[in-house]
Each structure stands twice: as C-alpha cells, then as structure tokens.
C-alpha cells in the first residue's frame, strides 16, 4: 500500500453512524445552524488530533486483516504455498512487503561506482571558472641567464646561448641527466606500468626510510668489465686548497669523509655527493700532515707529520686536541707511517732500520717492537687483528703474530726488487703486494701462511711505475691500485676475476693527476682519492645501494 494511502485515516460505516447520531443530523433532516462565535468550542490540541488519526489507522488495519483472512479461507493450499515462496512470510505486514519489493532498486543505486560521499562531493564541486583577466607579461617566456651560474655555464653549446628559456633549460637538463645515466632510467618512463613487484619494492623502501641505523647492503656479485659510476662533487669543495692531499678516509660509522694534507689542516665533510658541506676543520700549526686516520670506532682522529715525532690525537666527542710528544721506550726521531688494527686495540708505527712498534691504542704506550731485515716499506693488519704483514725494501714479505710477536712466515714477493705497499682484504682471503716495477701480486692468505714460496693468483701489470697505494673495498670485490709517480696512474681491479675495469679512469678528461691516497666508504657506495693539486675526487659506485 502506498504511504499516502496509509497515512490517510478512513473511518468505517459504524463509526460514521455513531458520529451522525451524536450530531443529530439525518440524511433528510435540515442542517443545524452554526452556533455564534461566542458559543463555539475551541479547536482540539495537536496531540489529540494525532491520537485520533492513529486510532483510525489501527482500526483500518484491523479491518484489512479480517478481510484478508476471509479471502485466504477460500484459497486452495497450493496457491497459499506459492505466495509464501514468492513474497515470503511477510504477508501479515504490508510495510515489510513493500520494503522487500523496494530492496533491489536501492541495491542497484548502492552498487553504482561512487559512494554517497563521492556523489555529494561531485554535486558540491564548484564548476571551473574562467579567469577574469589575462596578463600579457605572463605569456612572455622568462629567460634564464646561463653565464652567471657556473653549473649552467657548462651546459652551453655555444657562445650565443647566453640566455635560454625555461623550457629549453629543462630540456638541456634532461639531456645532461640522460647522458650521465646512460639513457632514460626505468622509473622516469611515463608509459611504464606498475607491477606488483614495483609496489612491493616501494613498500620496502618506505619501510627502510622509516628506520635509522646501519644497514648492510645485500646485492648481487659485482660484474666485471665496466663499473657503473658517477663523478660527484669534490669531497673538499667546501674548503678548497692547493696543497697536496695526503690522506682521505671515510668515517666507519657516519656519512662523513676526512681530508688532510700538507696545509696543516684536517677537515671533516658531510657526504651527500652534491655539495658535501664542511663540518669542521682542525688546524695544526707548523704540522704538515703526512697521514691522518680515524680510530676503529670513529671517535678519534690520529695525525702524524712529515718531520715531527709528535702524534696528535683529536677526541671528536670532547672536541679536544691531545698531543703525544713522547712514547716511553720509543726511540724514533720521526713518527710518520702508522696503521690501526681493525678491532681498535693496537697502533702499529713503522720505524727505521727495519723496526716497527706495537702500541696500545687506549693508552698509547709501547707493548713491544719487531724487526725485519732491511728497511720496512709498508705494513698492515689482517682482518682479525691477530697478524701483521710487513713488506721490506729487499722484496720480501714477513708475517708476524701480534700476541707472541713472533715471525710466522717469510717469503719473497715474486718479481719484486723492493716493495712499496701491501694490503689485506677484509674477508681474510687476499694479500696484495705492490712493487717498484708497477706489478701488483695478489696472493691467497692461506698460502702466504703455509708456503715458503707461494705463487700469486694473478699479477696485475697495468701500471708501469712504483705502486704506492693499495686498497680493498669492504666487500672484497674491488682492489684499487695507484702510483704517485705518474699522472692518471690509478686502476680498479675486479675480484675474483682479477681483471681491470675498462672505463676507469677516463683518459680523455685527465682530471685525476697524481694519486697519493684512496679509500672506499663503509659499504662501497663511494670511492675517493686525493691528488697533489689539493682535490679529493669522489665517485658514486651505482652497484652498491648504501653509503
């Protein structure tokens, strides 16, 4: 039954007869005259009218129910069963039946694409208005000055391009980026469709950025042949100098790089690859720095000079500079070359006449001294800090035990007249020895401990002058070799294939010059080297995702 029909009260005949008798008017009788206004009854209150309507509606529903029951008595049982299957057990309540009949129509509206909130938002969304007026100057292209910016100046193709429009500058920046990346990267493609793996990788990146701490990069093995890398801003660009860079080292726990040189200063820079802002500089008067190095925990910086026996210790937490003028029992007149054990327990100082001295890193006191035949050229700790490899001036390599300070083995570096440098890998697998003839022999550490005449795994002969610097990267996949006797004499060797990467250095640019020091960041994301022109060159290695 429609709502308007249900709301309209219709009294039955008995009610009409009773009302007629009360008024005393019959069908043929004359109408009663209206009472004067002074004798009229006041209208019923609204509550009484609503009650009367409700009583009439209930009376009407009771009559319909009685009539329906009379009709159902005459219906056969089959027809009644069919009505129950079609309409359900709601025949006694017409309102419930109407709600069921309206149900599918409401459901269709709910299943439409948009929710009620979205539909309401669409209805309330104001129509787009046209601008009231247009400024002609806005339509003119704004020109960008290319001459007064040193970064934009490099993008000029000829002298006539002193000014470019913003659109042209944007295109030029895209070209420079694609040239540096070797094409358009996958994430920059507009027509690239997202896959489930992309969504998972984005979730992993978001989870990574929500946490802090040190993360070990787990990547596939480094391929040989070509090393994907990018030239970054110089590490010491915020503090330029013309003095030779003697030491470059990355902090073991923070994204910081240290640069020291003959200008008597040790500087710390924040590594971001773009501007590398300066954090702090420590100036040591009349102290041209021969070598500077972080302690194993990164809380101290040790520095030695080219002509002094003083060892400076800079406490980074307290901000204090502590000079160590004299070590009891150490009779060296000049302290220059030194090494710090990976566990941070020992300090090894290379002396003269074949002596090298073992000191406590905590107290800076002498523990003991060891001696080899001839002069000592270079020394290094193993990754477990239990052994020391020392290269002598006569081409021999000595292996010493740190605790007992006894020589465990001694062998001749194959083809070497006298050694210049030595390095061990962090995984304890390789030993690299550099000689005066430019050859780098790569040995297995086990064979160096057990054999009196070990054979090198590979002899790297890409340099023709004395190899003065050797550095393994933390993952033992790259060995950096360099000579300070010739410009551009630096190579990166792939391990374990022992082949040289062909794309470094770039011979045409010739911006490396003479290399004196090299280092990799803690997770191999960056590679830095210092030259005699006062520049600490830095490169980003794309294979490694972390610093």
């Amino acid at each position: 039954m429609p709502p308007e029909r249900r709301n309209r009260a219709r009294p039955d005949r008995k009610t009409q007869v009773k009302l007629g008798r009360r008024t005393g008017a019959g069908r043929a009788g004359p109408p009663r005259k209206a009472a004067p206004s002074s004798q009229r009854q006041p209208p019923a209150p609204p509550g009484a009218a609503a009650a009367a309507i409700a009583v009439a509606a209930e009376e009407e529903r009771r009559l319909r129910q009685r009539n329906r029951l009379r009709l159902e008595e005459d219906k056969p049982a089959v027809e009644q069963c069919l009505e129950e299957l079609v309409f359900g057990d709601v025949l006694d309540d017409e309102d419930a039946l109407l709600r069921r009949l309206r149900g599918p129509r409401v459901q269709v509206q709910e299943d439409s694409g948009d929710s009620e909130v979205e539909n309401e938002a669409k209805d309330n969304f104001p129509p787009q208005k046209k601008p009231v007026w247009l400024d002609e100057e806005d339509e003119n292209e704004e020109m960008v000055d290319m001459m007064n910016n040193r970064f934009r100046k490099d993008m000029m193709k000829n002298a006539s391009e002193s000014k470019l429009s913003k659109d042209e500058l944007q295109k030029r920046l895209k070209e420079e980026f694609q040239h540096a990346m070797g094409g358009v990267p996958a994430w920059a493609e507009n027509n690239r469709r997202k896959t489930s793996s992309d969504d998972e990788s984005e979730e992993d990146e978001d989870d990574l950025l929500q946490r802090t701490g040190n993360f070990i990069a787990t990547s596939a093995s480094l391929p040989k042949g070509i090393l994907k890398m990018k030239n970054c801003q110089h590490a010491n660009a915020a503090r330029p100098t013309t003095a030779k860079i003697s030491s470059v080292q990355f902090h073991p726990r923070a994204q910081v790089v240290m640069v020291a040189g003959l200008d008597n200063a040790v500087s710390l820079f924040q590594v971001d690859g773009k501007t590398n802002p300066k954090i702090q500089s420590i100036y040591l008067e009349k102290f041209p720095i021969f070598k500077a190095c972080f302690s194993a925990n990164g809380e101290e910086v040790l520095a030695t000079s080219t002509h002094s026996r003083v060892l400076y210790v800079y406490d980074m937490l307290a901000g204090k500079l502590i000079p160590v003028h004299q070590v009891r029992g150490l009779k060296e007149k000049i302290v220059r070359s030194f090494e710090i054990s990976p566990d941070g327990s020992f300090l090894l100082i290379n002396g003269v006449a074949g002596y090298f001295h073992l000191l406590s890193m905590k107290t800076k006191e002498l523990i003991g001294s060891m001696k080899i035949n001839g002069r000592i050229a270079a020394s290094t700790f193993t990754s477990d800090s239990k052994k020391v490899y020392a290269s002598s001036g006569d081409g021999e390599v000595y292996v010493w035990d740190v605790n007992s300070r006894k020589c465990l083995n001694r062998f001749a570096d194959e083809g070497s007249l006298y050694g210049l440098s030595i390095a061990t890998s962090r995984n304890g697998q390789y030993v690299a020895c550099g000689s005066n003839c430019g050859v780098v022999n790569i040995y297995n550490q086990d064979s160096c401990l057990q054999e009196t005449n070990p054979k090198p795994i590979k002899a790297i002969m890409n340099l023709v002058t004395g190899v003065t610097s050797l550095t393994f990267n933390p993952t033992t996949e790259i060995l950096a070799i360099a000579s300070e006797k010739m410009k551009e004499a630096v190579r990166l060797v792939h391990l374990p294939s022992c082949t040289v990467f062909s794309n470094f250095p770039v011979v045409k640019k010739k911006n490396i010059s003479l290399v004196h020091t090299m280092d990799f960041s803690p997770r191999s994301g960056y590679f830095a080297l210092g030259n005699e022109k006062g520049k600490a060159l830095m490169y980003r290695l794309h294979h490694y995702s972390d610093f």
Side-chain angles (χ1 to χ4, degrees):
M1 181 182 295
E4 58 273 8
R5 184 174 179 183
R6 287 188 278 111
N7 295 333
R8 186 169 61 245
R10 183 179 294 174
D12 55 2
R13 293 179 180 177
K14 293 181 180 180
T15 307
Q16 290 178 356
V17 171
K18 291 179 181 179
L19 292 173
R21 288 178 180 174
R22 288 176 184 175
T23 56
R27 287 186 177 181
R32 181 179 293 180
K33 293 181 180 179
S37 59
S38 60
Q39 298 179 1
R40 290 179 185 173
Q41 298 293 331
I53 293 174
V55 170
E58 180 64 23
E59 185 68 21
E60 184 181 0
R61 190 188 68 79
R62 204 165 39 246
L63 290 174
R64 288 201 307 269
Q65 182 73 7
R66 187 170 63 247
N67 294 335
R68 186 180 66 80
L69 292 175
R70 289 177 182 175
L71 292 175
E72 286 183 355
E73 291 177 356
D74 300 335
K75 288 182 181 179
V78 177
E79 186 175 349
Q80 292 181 9
C81 182
L82 182 61
E83 287 182 355
E84 289 181 1
L85 290 175
V86 175
F87 300 106
D89 298 333
V90 293
L91 291 178
D92 56 342
D93 189 355
E94 293 183 1
D95 295 338
L97 179 59
L98 288 174
R99 285 195 298 270
R100 287 196 58 182
L101 293 176
R102 291 195 186 102
R105 183 170 58 192
V106 175
Q107 185 69 24
V108 171
Q109 293 177 356
E110 291 178 356
D111 291 341
S112 61
D114 300 329
S115 63
E116 295 180 1
V117 177
E118 292 175 347
N119 292 329
E120 184 179 356
K122 290 180 180 178
D123 296 338
N124 297 334
F125 192 82
Q128 188 175 3
K129 297 181 180 181
K130 295 182 179 180
V132 179
W133 60 280
L134 296 175
D135 192 352
E136 296 179 356
E137 294 182 358
D138 291 344
E139 298 178 358
N140 298 332
E141 283 189 313
E142 184 179 351
M143 305 303 289
V144 180
D145 190 3
M146 305 290 290
M147 296 295 294
N148 295 331
N149 191 302
R150 62 191 181 102
F151 298 107
R152 295 172 184 168
K153 192 174 181 180
D154 296 337
M155 292 186 289
M156 293 174 55
K157 295 182 178 180
N158 50 60
S160 62
E161 294 184 340
S162 60
K163 291 186 177 181
L164 289 178
S165 63
K166 287 187 175 180
D167 294 337
E168 291 293 332
L169 179 59
Q170 185 178 9
K171 292 179 181 179
R172 195 67 54 83
L173 290 172
K174 286 183 179 180
E175 292 175 0
E176 291 288 333
F177 177 77
Q178 293 176 9
H179 178 71
M181 298 294 293
V184 181
W187 55 265
E189 295 178 359
N190 293 330
N191 56 353
R192 181 172 176 263
R193 295 182 178 179
K194 270 192 175 183
T195 61
S196 59
S197 61
D198 295 337
D199 296 336
E200 293 176 0
S201 63
E202 289 182 0
E203 291 177 1
D204 295 340
E205 291 177 0
D206 294 340
D207 181 59
L208 179 67
L209 295 175
Q210 289 175 0
R211 293 179 290 144
T212 59
N214 296 328
F215 299 93
I216 299 177
T218 56
S219 58
S221 59
L222 178 68
K224 63 180 181 179
I226 296 178
L227 180 62
K228 294 182 179 180
M229 58 194 308
K230 180 183 69 173
N231 191 2
C232 300
Q233 178 70 279
H234 302 333
N236 61 338
R239 187 188 178 275
T241 180
T242 57
K244 183 183 81 171
I245 302 298
S246 58
S247 295
V248 171
Q249 187 185 11
F250 289 94
H251 194 278
R253 297 183 180 179
Q255 200 161 332
V256 175
V257 63
M258 176 188 64
V259 180
L262 299 183
D263 58 351
N264 307 342
V266 178
S267 301
L268 303 177
F269 302 91
Q270 182 75 33
V271 179
D272 59 6
K274 298 178 181 179
T275 59
N276 304 321
K278 186 182 76 170
I279 300 174
Q280 187 181 12
S281 289
I282 303 103
Y283 182 78
L284 306 176
E285 188 175 359
K286 296 181 181 180
F287 199 84
I289 296 171
F290 179 83
K291 183 174 182 178
C293 185
F294 284 112
S295 60
N297 57 9
E299 296 179 359
E300 294 179 343
V301 175
L302 279 70
T304 58
S305 178
T306 57
H307 58 270
S308 175
R309 64 187 301 177
V310 178
L311 172 68
Y312 274 104
V313 180
Y314 177 68
D315 190 341
M316 299 180 64
L317 299 180
K320 293 182 180 180
L321 186 64
I322 306 170
V324 181
H325 294 280
Q326 181 65 38
V327 177
R328 182 178 299 178
L330 186 65
K331 298 180 181 180
E332 299 291 339
K333 294 182 180 180
I334 298 177
V335 176
R336 296 199 299 180
S337 179
F338 67 92
E339 298 293 332
I340 298 176
S341 62
D343 63 357
S345 301
F346 305 106
L347 174 65
L348 188 67
I349 296 178
N350 297 332
V352 296
Y355 283 96
F356 54 104
H357 313 279
L358 191 67
L359 280 70
S360 171
M361 188 65 187
K362 185 176 181 180
T363 62
K364 308 299 185 296
E365 294 181 352
L366 181 65
I367 298 175
S369 299
M370 296 162 278
K371 187 181 185 304
I372 63 174
N373 296 334
R375 68 174 184 85
I376 184 167
S379 62
T380 184
F381 284 93
T382 56
S383 58
D384 57 2
S385 303
K386 294 181 179 181
K387 301 176 184 65
V388 172
Y389 283 80
S391 177
S392 68
D394 56 5
E396 290 186 327
V397 178
Y398 295 78
V399 185
W400 292 78
D401 181 72
V402 173
N403 293 329
S404 63
R405 294 185 295 283
K406 293 181 179 180
C407 184
L408 302 177
N409 196 13
R410 169 185 171 186
F411 64 92
D413 185 17
E414 189 175 85
S416 173
L417 296 178
Y418 61 89
L420 290 178
S421 56
I422 191 168
T424 57
S425 62
R426 294 194 184 182
N427 65 351
Q429 184 177 359
Y430 300 111
V431 177
C433 301
S435 64
N436 65 315
C437 58
V439 178
V440 178
N441 289 327
I442 302 176
Y443 296 91
N444 190 301
Q445 282 196 29
D446 294 336
S447 62
C448 293
L449 293 172
Q450 300 171 2
E451 302 177 14
T452 56
N453 190 21
K455 297 295 180 181
I457 300 172
K458 180 76 173 180
I460 308 298
M461 301 184 180
N462 292 78
L463 301 180
V464 296
T465 55
V467 181
T468 53
S469 298
L470 291 172
T471 304
F472 285 94
N473 81 316
T475 61
T476 317
E477 294 176 309
I478 304 174
L479 170 63
I481 62 176
S483 173
E484 62 182 16
K485 306 296 183 181
M486 180 180 289
K487 292 184 178 182
E488 313 298 316
V490 57
R491 299 292 185 272
L492 297 179
V493 182
H494 174 265
L495 297 174
S497 67
C498 297
T499 57
V500 175
F501 290 102
S502 59
N503 62 322
F504 184 83
V506 180
V507 181
K508 294 181 180 180
K509 293 186 177 180
K510 293 185 178 180
N511 59 348
I512 294 179
S513 193
L514 301 177
V515 177
H516 293 275
T517 177
M518 301 180 297
D519 192 32
F520 289 91
S521 61
R523 290 165 192 84
S524 304
Y526 288 89
F527 171 63
L529 50 87
N531 60 21
E532 91 287 358
K533 294 183 178 180
K535 294 182 179 179
L537 308 178
M538 193 164 62
Y539 301 87
R540 176 72 173 93
L541 307 184
H542 294 297
H543 176 76
Y544 304 99
S545 58
D546 206 350
F547 173 76

